[in-house]
Amino acid sequence: VVDRIPLVFQQADYLQYETGLRVCRVCGENKKIKTLRKLNEGKYDVLVVTAGCLVSMLEREQLDLRLFCTIVVDECHHTT
């Protein structure tokens, strides 16, 4: 979970390059039903998402936190 859209792509690219894991990038700019469906079907290993987008998806029940075993909050010192 990141606080800015550019970090979604920066962190996702780094994780994918360094680990070879299947990384899903989700922010307000690219949140699509097809992507959410694939995410919920387990087609990705890692989700990198903005905090606002994550909250929105949870409120709309588009995402189930039980899909994840670990959640990392990047830049959490910026939260209020």
Side-chain angles (χ1 to χ4, degrees), residues 8-21:
V8 169
F9 299 98
Q10 178 187 13
Q11 297 292 356
D13 290 346
Y14 179 81
L15 286 167
Q16 191 166 352
Y17 177 78
E18 289 295 326
T19 67
L21 295 171

Side-chain angles (χ1 to χ4, degrees), residues 15-51:
L15 286 167
Q16 191 166 352
Y17 177 78
E18 289 295 326
T19 67
L21 295 171
R22 301 169 298 169
V23 179
C24 181
R25 299 151 176 84
V26 178
C27 59
E29 293 181 352
N30 71 349
K31 187 172 67 172
K32 308 258 190 287
I33 298 298
K34 180 180 176 183
T35 303
L36 296 177
R37 183 174 54 245
K38 289 170 73 175
L39 180 62
N40 283 302
E41 291 171 353
K43 305 241 187 234
Y44 295 103
D45 303 307
V46 176
L47 168 65
V48 180
V49 61
T50 56

Side-chain angles (χ1 to χ4, degrees), residues 9-10 19 36 49 55 63 68-69 71 74-77:
F9 299 98
Q10 178 187 13
T19 67
L36 296 177
V49 61
V55 169
L63 184 66
F68 306 100
C69 61
I71 297 176
D74 188 28
E75 302 289 329
C76 64
H77 60 281

